[in-house]
Amino acid sequence: MMLGDGRFDSSTLALDFALQPSHLVVLLPAAIPVLVILLTRRSAAAFVVSATLSFLGLAAAIALLAQQARGGAVASPGTIGQLPVGPGFSIPLHLQVDRLSVLVAVAVGLVSWAVQLFTRWYLYSDPRYRQFAATVGLFTAAMQLVVLSGDLLLTLIGWELMGWCSYLLIGHESERSKARRAAYKAFLVTRIADTPLVIGLAILALGARSTDLGVVVTHWTHAAAHHHTALAAALLCLICAVAGKSAQVPFQDWLPDAMEGPTPASALIHAATMVAAGTVVLGKLVALLELSDPARLVLTIVASVSMVGAGVLAFLQHDLKRLLAWSTVSQVALMLLGLAVVTPRAGADLGIAHLLSHAMFKALLFLMMGWLSVLVAGTTVERLSGVLSKYPGCRRMVGIGLLALAGVPPFAGFVSKDLIIDQAARGGIDGDTSARIAFAALACVVLLTAAYSMRMWLILIHRTGAQRVQALEVVEDSYAVQEVGIVDMLVGLPPVDQHGRPIDGAVAQPAPIAEVEEEDDLLVHQQPGGGARFGLQLLALLSVVGGLLIFSPMLDVDWKHPNGWLIGAGLLLMGAVALLVRMMSVGTVYGDAAARVPVFVRAAASRGFDVDRIYVAVVRPVVGLAHVVTRLEGRLDAGVQRLPEASAALARRTARLHTHRPTTGLLAVSVGLVAVGLMGVILW
Amino acid sequence: MKLTYHWWLLAPVLIPAVGCVLLLVLDALLPRLGRSHWAIAAVLLLAGAAAAVPGVLPSADDPRDTLCLPHGGACLYSVDHVGAGLQLAALVSGAVIALLALPIRVPAERAAVQATLLLAATAGATGVVASRDLGSWLVMLELATLPAIALVALRARRAAVDGALALLTTALVSFAITAMGAALWFAATGSALLSGDAVLHAAQDPDSRRILVLAVVFILAGLGFKLSLVPFHAWTPEAFSGASVPIGGFLAVTSKIAALAALLVIFRGVTVLGTSALAAVGVLAAVSMTLGNVMALRERNALRFLAWSTVSQAGWVVLPLAAVSSRAVRSAAAYLMVYALATLVVFAVVTALAHADGRADATDLSSYGGLLRRRPLLAVTLALGLLTLMGLPPAVIGLVAKVAAIGPVAGGRMWILAVIAALNAMLGVAVYLRWLRILFGARKDPEHADALHPLHRILVIVGAAALAVTSIAPQWLLQFVGR
């Protein structure tokens, strides 16, 4: 039809057309907010639009993947053309399509689509569902832009857009002050961390006299020997921004607070988009990272500290959604380590591989957490304890997610994690400091991950005793009482006079008995629609078999030399830790192994070890400075306020000099002549 | 001695000058012609303007000389691009004033005289632009000034006579000062020509250089009167409030064009000296702006308000000249053009209102209350004019002019002057906002209100359109004064 002969090559799937699949990957999600806000007025219509477009976005990503696999993809499709900034500098604003970015784009599209389907169920009665769906679309578009960007400026645009969207998503329930605070916090912390990003990108672009990613990498690869410090400075700036976006130390604290947002938003932010954006950007510049030892070392330390600390915090969380949040911090740190320990001239494949598997199982876990939280109306240990024994239908998928998170073979999490550990071990043997630090941290984190995954599983499947059954009945009774409602009672009763007698002999009508909802109806409400469930099952399937991706030519990793001893030892230790956690959980009320830990430690952990206070302490001088500025401005304002008065007084005084007689005019002329004459002679 | 003539070059001056004589003859032949003299004057002035148009075309030679002395000597009449623009502005503004005055009822014998005087003064204004020797420069300058005094006096009210008296005394003293300056110039350069060569020659000798400086300063003081720069401004409010409204417009626009043109003629000679700054001009500009704005802030009479506004705008007009450069000449002329257009529009509105509602109601600022609802056309046009003088969008042209005026000052690194100018721009906003606020404020109906005269209505619409168009494309106005 539109594509004539010669425009489409069926062997390579190459498409000779201005609009490439890579454009569609970005544009289709970007069209969601436009269409939803402009065209739809009802949630149902908004859902149709957003679900369709995000599915088409996913389809475009898959088409791009097929093109890339067959060799027909356009490597650097242009967008709006080069920005006219003069001959000394070039801003081509083009995209860049390569193996890794295509894979990530597919993962982002898939998670975004699953989230859109799930959101419809999760926010069914939310009057602002449309806005949420629109923001999810914009957010996805921003992430796809970062993923496919071949120009530092486009990267920056997508990066900033994501920051704004995350603010909107986290603060979606803006009537709650906690949600507003969390949104502000996320925005401010990431914003502050973003400042160095602009500086870092500017250094890189100015050095290369171009914002073209390829040109930047080539230029700095050659210039690294001479301008080592500048390169290190730029990369450190970038690492700072990545730490902010990916919630690494010292910016980690916004992410758990961001759990105030609706669960689909958490799934989106945590699984494949915002926190992973740091990995994507660093992955594009990994060739430069290899050349700068200081930057690598800093990245390793930051990631290692974040990884272990977040693992410990995850184990101690009282709120299981926050447990998943901390586990995200830990897993993203793992990806970053995958970038930090690469061998020279290798790509970012290790980090990206873990990004992909993490995207699958973390999206699955978050969406399942959203499902469970709707069932029990909460995400704390008390609420969620035993939920899987009550609703066994969710059991399989939660189990798959947790096994993948823990890294049990043959799940996807195991494969990608094992590759990073292998690489770190090899690097450590070769005497690389970064790799040694990374290996030590990784050894700890494997056990920690196993521990908190096991803890979560035990809580969720905890079997209740008789006491607990009774408590549940009380809860259900009170639920039944609440159903009646005082307003219904008042409406249903016949009108009475002041003495309580029926007026006008009105016969008291028996209140209509509320129809008991059918058990099936209840079930329908208790589980997401078929599309959403299919999305979850797809995510679960990919969490299981996603590890097979490493055998494909799309990922360039060394899978042929696994270290059997290392795997064996790791699995043994993980089993031991799991057993330990099981033992700790025995005899606790909710099956919570962390209940054995002293309360004050758990309380502190729930607050993220009070890092907030350090933030406040850091900010205090800035606030002081702001006060000084405010005071100065107040002075200035007062001065300006006095200005009209002063000019009025001046006017009164000069008006007195202006008598209406010609002689004063003449006098003024003479004075003026003398004054001007003197000025002329003296100041000429 | 034999001079070469180019009649078509001299036409912008000759048409109004010859027109004076024709008008007087016509009045002698047909004494009952009455107010149609104004129409004839307007036609003559527009014809003069048409003759000046070839000079402003981009293809015109720059400068175009005539009345040249034999044997390759200096030329006594020279119009460059800026000069042609000023001539055009003076003639068009004179024509507009004549048309504004046309519907106003005056005794029949007075109309012919007034129209003649207007023609004479405009001829002086166009002549002084091009004159390149002391003699014709002085004569043309006085030709532009003295008829204006008579025009003010001819309203024949007590206030008008007072104003004319103030104008006359100041004018005479200023003429004396200017003549003194001219004499010093001649003493310093030994030449009656206002050319750069003579100045360079004089500047080589320290003694004659000192005299030359004094000459320039005296001429500046003398012209300060005509530009209403503080402290030579005392006549301005008296004359404006005394004269009939269109004549006030003549004093504010055509007369100012003549004064700046005269100053630019001297200034062109001085630029060759290579001094970087004229402190006296800067000080006069700063003082004029400030005092004009401050006094306008408390003024309740619309005409006196416009007089003070003229004083402060005169400061803006000469501001760029503090930095001595050819760019400064262009900037000053550009600002003058914008000021002339906006002031002419404001005066057109006030004239129209004075004609319809009575002079008392048009001169009191408070009687403009609610004009927007009463007479939307006048109110919107007036608002546009005031916004232009203020230098605020949507009247972009005013902003462009302000930026153009500060440009050379900032370029010459006279930061104090630039800061004073910026402060005065703010103060100016407050000044004109006072009037604007009244327009949009509570409605106040006059005792008896007539319909607008059709001619006034047309002129107001044309003025509003001119301001709107130049705000969208400022280069259409500014191209007249330079490239």
Side-chain angles (χ1 to χ4, degrees), chain A residues 579-593:
Chain A
L579 204 61
L580 181 66
V581 172
R582 177 78 188 98
M583 281 163 64
M584 280 167 76
S585 76
V586 170
T588 56
V589 182
Y590 301 112
D592 181 5

Side-chain angles (χ1 to χ4, degrees), chain A residues 660, chain B residues 148-149 151-153 155 159-168 170 225 233-245 247-249 251 303-304 307 347 359:
Chain A
H660 295 225
Chain B
I149 302 170
L151 277 173
V152 172
R155 190 171 148 251
V161 174
D162 281 353
L165 188 61
L167 190 51
L168 180 67
T170 324
F225 140 75
H233 68 291
W235 61 275
T236 319
E238 307 306 323
F240 273 51
S241 65
S244 75
V245 183
I247 300 307
L251 289 177
L303 291 175
R304 293 179 74 91
F347 267 100
R359 186 181 161 99

Side-chain angles (χ1 to χ4, degrees), chain A residues 651 654-655 658 666 668 672 676 684, chain B residues 173 217 231 233 275 278 291 295 298:
Chain A
T654 30
H658 286 91
L666 289 184
V676 172
W684 186 270
Chain B
V173 173
V217 167
H233 68 291
T275 44
L278 273 177
L291 198 80
M295 291 300 289
R298 65 190 298 278

Side-chain angles (χ1 to χ4, degrees), chain A residues 311 314-315 323 327 330-331 405 448-456:
Chain A
F315 185 78
L323 180 149
S327 110
S330 174
Q331 297 293 319
L405 172 61
L448 281 168
T449 313
Y452 65 70
S453 304
M454 186 66 185
R455 174 187 164 228
M456 184 162 163

